[in-house]
Amino acid sequence: MVQAIRVFETGGPEVMRWEHVDVGEPAPGEARIRHTAIGLNFIDTYFRSGLYPAPDGLPFSPGNEGAGIVQTVGEGVTHVGPGDRVAYVGPLGAYAQERIVPADKLVVIPEGVDDKTAAAMMLKGMTAQYLLRQTYKVGPETTLLFHAAAGGVGLIAGQWAAHLGATVIGTAGSEEKIELAKAHGYQHVINYRTENFAERVKEITDGKGCDVVYDSVGQDTYPGSLDCLKPLGMWVSFGQSSGPIVDFNLGLLAQKGSLFATRPTLFSYVATRDALEKTAGELFDVVRNGVVKIEINQEYRLADAVQAHQDLEGRKTTGATILIP
């Protein structure tokens, strides 16, 4: 019998339950996969807490990414088949030993990338790809600030941005995390607990500011992130780990230098099959070539997802974390 984490009411980590589920057989256009590893991401806590409503309501299984082996496929599925190693991002429901997935969300894991690495990097790595390569095209002339530099996306983005030749500034909350970020491409890392990050950015850039600020923190870094930008700079708000930004004042963008602001999500950037394959393919390439190293710093049993969420929200994790079914 297959087991999964289920959420029957939103709230803290304790609302997650380890229960038996009936998976069934794939319909046309679907595939049934057996997970070998599942990625843990901060967005998982948003759905669990109710900050983001689950698309199909309650109950639901959390989780947006995983890797595993195709068991069976439904009618019309030709790009993957039984026995293939695959990885995916979305839809919700990855916290399960086995599940049904729309086959058009699956990409075949290439040789040279193991299942744990694939599960740990799909959401975070493709997020880094669209941030650096699509939302704002980072290059040698770019100076950027990346909040939560020692987080899962931050460690990937730091390596990738450095490879692209950018000046890479990060923020982190401890000396351990600062050293970790510096080992992953960041030339400058600011301790946001002891320093005013906006003032330090101005010092580092000789008063010029950054071309782009990548901000997944939200409430705690707004509006300070705007003060880190050059005129006509771009603020990319792609998460809210400290809480949502309320009462966003559009007029601030004018006051602080005709700034640009965007609130992107990965799912918009991989909405078509072509876009998904291009984004995932570029990620696989930089990992296989050694440009980006995916470091899995924590592993938990899937049955221990409550503890994993407690540690994640308690800022006790660094880099990538996976759940093992």
Side-chain angles (χ1 to χ4, degrees), residues 180-195:
L180 185 62
K182 286 181 176 179
H184 289 78
Y186 290 87
Q187 292 102 326
H188 310 276
V189 186
I190 301 163
N191 188 330
Y192 66 81
R193 296 188 188 277
T194 61
E195 301 176 280

Side-chain angles (χ1 to χ4, degrees), residues 255-271:
Q255 295 170 23
K256 294 179 182 295
S258 299
L259 305 177
F260 294 86
T262 183
R263 182 61 172 87
T265 68
L266 172 62
F267 303 107
S268 298
Y269 281 87
V270 295

Side-chain angles (χ1 to χ4, degrees), residues 18-312:
W18 182 235
E19 299 200 340
H20 292 290
V21 294
D22 182 20
V23 177
E25 294 302 315
E30 295 180 337
R32 177 168 172 161
I33 65 170
R34 174 178 56 81
H35 281 129
T36 49
I38 298 155
L40 177 71
N41 297 281
F42 220 97
I43 194 174
D44 301 351
T45 72
Y46 297 164
F47 285 108
R48 186 216 69 224
S49 70
L51 179 63
Y52 288 0
D56 297 324
L58 295 166
F60 68 91
S61 291
N64 285 276
E65 70 176 338
I69 310 297
V70 176
Q71 304 298 292
T72 56
V73 299
E75 183 181 347
V77 176
T78 58
H79 66 283
V80 296
D84 283 345
R85 293 193 309 129
V86 294
Y88 68 90
V89 174
L92 210 61
Y95 285 19
Q97 293 173 328
E98 296 189 22
R99 71 171 299 195
I100 303 291
V101 181
D104 63 0
K105 301 293 185 185
L106 298 173
V107 293
V108 175
I109 303 171
E111 292 299 319
V113 178
D114 63 53
D115 289 15
K116 288 184 177 181
T117 299
M121 77 180 192
M122 289 300 290
L123 193 151
K124 290 176 280 290
M126 290 201 297
T127 296
Q129 194 279 345
Y130 85 73
L131 290 173
L132 301 177
R133 305 287 288 149
Q134 300 185 68
T135 303
Y136 186 98
K137 289 188 183 258
V138 169
E141 303 302 316
T142 305
T143 298
L144 67 86
L145 173 66
F146 209 103
H147 287 299
V153 178
L155 293 182
I156 295 172
Q159 297 173 76
W160 205 332
H163 173 71
L164 295 170
T167 298
V168 192
I169 307 169
T171 65
S174 70
E175 289 305 313
E176 179 187 9
K177 290 186 175 182
I178 287 170
E179 292 306 311
L180 185 62
K182 286 181 176 179
H184 289 78
Y186 290 87
Q187 292 102 326
H188 310 276
V189 186
I190 301 163
N191 188 330
Y192 66 81
R193 296 188 188 277
T194 61
E195 301 176 280
N196 182 305
F197 68 82
E199 291 178 0
R200 283 288 294 126
V201 165
K202 288 298 176 68
E203 292 173 7
I204 292 166
T205 61
D206 295 325
K208 295 176 183 177
C210 297
D211 299 287
V212 57
V213 172
Y214 295 107
D215 189 343
S216 64
V217 177
Q219 189 179 78
D220 288 354
T221 48
Y222 176 82
S225 288
L226 303 183
D227 295 321
C228 299
L229 288 165
K230 297 176 180 177
L232 307 183
M234 178 177 283
W235 175 51
V236 183
S237 173
F238 69 100
Q240 48 196 35
S241 61
S242 68
I245 295 168
V246 295
D247 299 325
F248 172 66
N249 180 3
L250 193 62
L252 279 180
L253 302 180
Q255 295 170 23
K256 294 179 182 295
S258 299
L259 305 177
F260 294 86
T262 183
R263 182 61 172 87
T265 68
L266 172 62
F267 303 107
S268 298
Y269 281 87
V270 295
T272 67
R273 182 70 198 177
D274 183 64
L276 172 61
E277 290 184 347
K278 182 178 179 180
T279 302
E282 189 168 343
L283 172 63
F284 284 135
D285 284 346
V286 295
V287 171
R288 293 172 74 188
N289 294 337
V291 169
V292 171
K293 294 179 173 59
I294 306 297
E295 296 183 3
I296 300 170
N297 293 338
Q298 296 85 208
E299 291 188 20
Y300 299 82
R301 294 188 311 143
L302 177 58
D304 295 329
V306 169
Q307 184 65 54
H309 275 226
Q310 289 172 341
D311 290 350
L312 180 65

